[in-house]
Amino acid sequence: MRKRNFCQLVIAYSSVALFIVCLCSFAPARAGAPVYVTLWFDTEDYVSPKPDQAILRLCQILQKHGVRATFKLIAEKARDLERKGQFDVIRALKNHDLGFHTQTHSQPPLIPQYLEYAGWEGGIEEFDARERGGVEDLKRIFGTQPLCYGQPGNSWAPQTYPVLVRWGIPLYLDEGDHVGINDQPFWYGGVLNVFKMGPNLTRMNLDGGEKALQEGKQAFDQIYDRLTKQSGGLISIYYHPNEWDHLEFWDAVNFLHGANPPPQSWVTPKKKSREATEESFLYFDRYVGYMKNKPGVRFVGAQEIVSLYPDPARNMRFRRDIIVELARSVQSEITFRNAQDVYLSSSEIFSMLLNFYLNSGKGELVLPSYTVYGPAEMVNSSELGPVSRYAFDKACRELNAIVTQTHRIPNAVWVGSLAVGPADFLATLGKQIENPQDPIPLLRGKFTASAYVADDSAKLFDWVILPQGFHAPRIMELAKLQAWTLKPAVLAKDWKAEGGRR
């Protein structure tokens, strides 16, 4: 009897122990590796004369699965819904996060065409002037502020970023190869970016039936499994509502390679059969349901992405030893750095070291509340001879006043009558913080953050709406200069710790 009771007790304890082991092994895997999915729709077609039914149907499918998506609207598409009295569609879209996708998308001139010759400051003002009215119309029609922006096709340009900050739009949500860090979100131009997601971008072919669904599931699972093993991350999936209705894109049949027909000559794209459209909705429904039911998967719209990837560096005080270590680092390489478990961009390091030097190395420092943009032109130092401590200190005071007023690193820092490139100046400043001298030898700085920005090529701007062979060397030169603002975005620690819930 005693033996029997002992055996039962052993079995009971073993079961409890096994349960605890399983629980402990399972919980950290979910908590430490959250997988987020952002589903976004570029909502565009304003040339088709009939009311748009695809958007409403998509909203119904998403509501069924409890998924909040992001719809980036062309302003003209929003105005078209209003003109046609499709207020049921407008109400349905209000249940999701809304973004801005330019005024007209494909009518020339396109963004990289007119910004290629506009320069930095001029390009900022021209983009604002051309596109602000579209943002205002979205606010009026939907009664809410757009939460994100994304370019039409491959029409990316760096001058858009300060305008997004001006408009209060916190997220750049799109895809392209112009700039990115390790296929995950990053900061650039003072804006959070979900861009250049590479192998973490996926989508199911809407027209391939059961075979396409299985391939879509398999592609999703491969990303899901990899991110789970890599401590989690974000998966980006995009579509266009007109893909469910049409066999060809609305803009390709009207604005191909820079064509500019008047509205009365616009052509309606060829439609799918009713059966084909229904099948596309059916398989998309199953695709969303499959992803939603994966353990640990959470769908997030634009607003939640911004909460997922905050920038804690903005509110942090940095210790003297950390600042001295940053001063040491810029002497060999200028790029983003991890300091006190947060990332700092090159321009943030520039601002911090400058203020630290002017403050005689006393006290803790915080970053400015604004983004300090990179220079507008590449300037090489006129010479690298030694300069006096007096001239260098005076240059630092003048530079601080310029950066504070313009929120930009100047093209050249004037040390007396010497024009010193910003990278050379920062390397020299770092050396002077670590080991003060008089006279001060000017160092050659090595700015490497620009390696995360693509080189100009026609392939980079390869889009059927742009003229054939179009490329934009001035835009990509500016893009590399604005890599001073580049740094990784990191998933908030409290989201990681609780498996995506706080």
Side-chain angles (χ1 to χ4, degrees):
M1 186 71 169
R2 185 179 299 171
K3 182 177 180 181
R4 180 181 175 186
N5 289 342
F6 176 76
C7 291
Q8 290 175 333
L9 188 63
V10 170
I11 293 171
Y13 274 113
S14 299
S15 299
V16 171
L18 180 61
F19 173 76
I20 292 173
V21 169
C22 291
L23 184 63
C24 290
S25 63
F26 175 69
R30 289 195 61 185
V35 175
Y36 300 97
V37 178
T38 185
L39 178 61
W40 47 282
F41 299 87
D42 283 351
T43 310
E44 302 174 350
D45 178 17
Y46 54 84
V47 305
S48 298
K50 293 184 178 180
D52 194 318
Q53 300 300 322
I55 299 173
L56 194 59
R57 184 73 176 276
L58 286 171
C59 288
Q60 291 167 348
I61 292 172
L62 297 172
Q63 183 180 20
K64 168 186 169 182
H65 293 288
V67 168
R68 189 176 184 89
T70 302
F71 287 81
K72 290 159 45 194
L73 283 98
I74 299 174
E76 187 59 27
K77 175 63 176 180
R79 294 187 285 260
D80 186 55
L81 291 172
E82 185 180 49
R83 284 192 297 267
K84 291 174 179 174
Q86 290 197 268
F87 299 108
D88 54 343
V89 176
I90 292 173
R91 285 192 298 270
L93 285 171
K94 288 182 180 182
N95 294 321
H96 297 274
D97 292 345
L98 300 181
F100 179 52
H101 198 40
T102 73
Q103 287 265 32
T104 61
H105 193 280
S106 299
Q107 295 184 45
L110 302 181
I111 291 168
Q113 290 178 298
Y114 68 75
L115 292 186
E116 169 70 356
Y117 302 102
W120 177 247
E121 299 290 350
I124 291 170
E125 298 308 320
E126 184 164 353
F127 180 76
D128 190 357
R130 286 178 178 271
E131 301 294 343
R132 177 180 288 272
V135 173
E136 296 303 321
D137 275 346
L138 288 186
K139 289 181 183 178
R140 176 183 59 79
I141 293 169
F142 291 96
T144 188
Q145 162 78 13
L147 294 167
C148 63
Y149 165 82
Q151 84 281 350
N154 286 349
S155 295
W156 182 92
Q159 297 101 313
T160 61
Y161 285 88
V163 182
L164 299 182
V165 174
R166 186 182 293 178
W167 291 343
I169 293 179
L171 175 66
Y172 198 113
L173 176 60
D174 215 287
E175 184 58 26
D177 292 324
H178 304 78
V179 59
I181 304 176
N182 299 332
D183 310 316
Q184 281 294 295
F186 60 93
W187 291 91
Y188 179 88
V191 176
L192 179 63
N193 286 253
V194 176
F195 192 81
K196 199 181 180 183
M197 294 292 283
N200 296 317
L201 179 81
T202 189
R203 48 182 272 149
M204 178 195 72
N205 178 8
L206 295 175
D207 301 319
E210 186 66 33
K211 181 175 182 292
L213 174 61
Q214 296 308 317
E215 290 174 348
K217 289 179 179 180
Q218 183 179 14
F220 179 82
D221 286 347
Q222 288 175 351
I223 304 173
Y224 169 85
D225 292 341
R226 173 167 43 78
L227 290 181
T228 300
K229 294 174 184 176
Q230 297 174 355
S231 300
L234 184 70
I235 300 175
S236 182
I237 302 174
Y238 76 94
Y239 289 98
H240 308 75
N242 53 284
E243 291 183 70
W244 275 266
D245 275 340
H246 296 123
L247 293 169
E248 51 191 356
F249 270 86
W250 63 279
D251 53 350
V253 298
N254 289 288
F255 307 108
L256 184 67
H257 298 317
N260 190 26
Q264 61 269 25
S265 300
W266 289 348
V267 176
T268 302
K270 295 177 183 176
K271 288 183 67 69
K272 291 182 180 179
S273 67
R274 182 178 301 178
E275 293 76 17
T277 293
E278 285 299 315
E279 187 174 87
S280 294
F281 281 121
L282 170 67
Y283 283 105
F284 179 73
D285 187 344
R286 292 173 58 187
Y287 181 54
V288 173
Y290 176 80
M291 294 185 291
K292 182 73 188 302
N293 290 327
K294 294 284 289 187
V297 165
R298 182 183 179 94
F299 277 81
V300 291
Q303 186 171 26
E304 204 162 8
I305 292 173
V306 174
S307 297
L308 275 169
Y309 293 92
D311 185 6
R314 290 287 187 179
N315 301 313
M316 185 172 290
R317 293 186 175 275
F318 292 88
R319 304 188 310 270
R320 187 182 192 282
D321 61 311
I322 295 296
I323 296 170
V324 172
E325 178 56 38
L326 290 170
R328 188 175 298 116
S329 73
V330 299
Q331 296 171 50
S332 58
E333 182 182 19
I334 299 171
T335 186
F336 53 81
R337 296 282 180 180
N338 190 297
Q340 291 182 197
D341 294 325
V342 300
Y343 279 101
L344 297 173
S345 69
S346 302
S347 69
E348 289 171 334
I349 295 170
F350 187 101
S351 297
M352 187 178 297
L353 295 186
L354 178 60
N355 280 280
F356 183 78
Y357 183 78
L358 291 172
N359 198 37
S360 302
K362 297 176 182 178
E364 296 177 320
L365 285 180
V366 295
L367 295 174
S369 59
Y370 50 83
T371 297
V372 175
Y373 293 96
E377 291 184 23
M378 181 69 73
V379 174
N380 294 317
S381 299
S382 53
E383 59 179 275
L384 287 176
V387 298
S388 70
R389 174 75 177 266
Y390 164 77
F392 188 81
D393 288 359
K394 182 174 182 288
C396 286
R397 292 192 298 272
E398 293 168 346
L399 174 61
N400 187 57
I402 292 168
V403 171
T404 301
Q405 180 169 328
T406 65
H407 299 180
R408 182 170 71 80
I409 296 171
N411 301 342
V413 179
W414 286 93
V415 183
S417 59
L418 292 181
V420 180
D424 297 341
F425 180 85
L426 181 56
T428 304
L429 177 63
K431 181 66 174 179
Q432 190 66 4
I433 288 173
E434 185 185 23
N435 183 24
Q437 300 179 53
D438 190 7
I440 301 170
L442 295 177
L443 302 184
R444 179 71 69 191
K446 185 180 180 183
F447 181 62
T448 60
S450 59
Y452 293 90
V453 178
D455 296 326
D456 172 61
S457 70
K459 182 179 180 182
L460 199 60
F461 293 92
D462 185 18
W463 182 35
V464 295
I465 306 303
L466 283 165
Q468 290 178 300
F470 175 86
H471 63 110
R474 296 175 185 85
I475 280 178
M476 295 315 298
E477 180 181 340
L478 283 174
K480 287 181 178 290
L481 291 170
Q482 296 316 308
W484 280 85
T485 66
L486 182 69
K487 65 180 182 178
V490 179
L491 195 63
K493 290 182 179 179
D494 50 349
W495 284 82
K496 286 183 178 179
E498 300 179 22
R501 299 179 186 277
R502 32 176 170 190

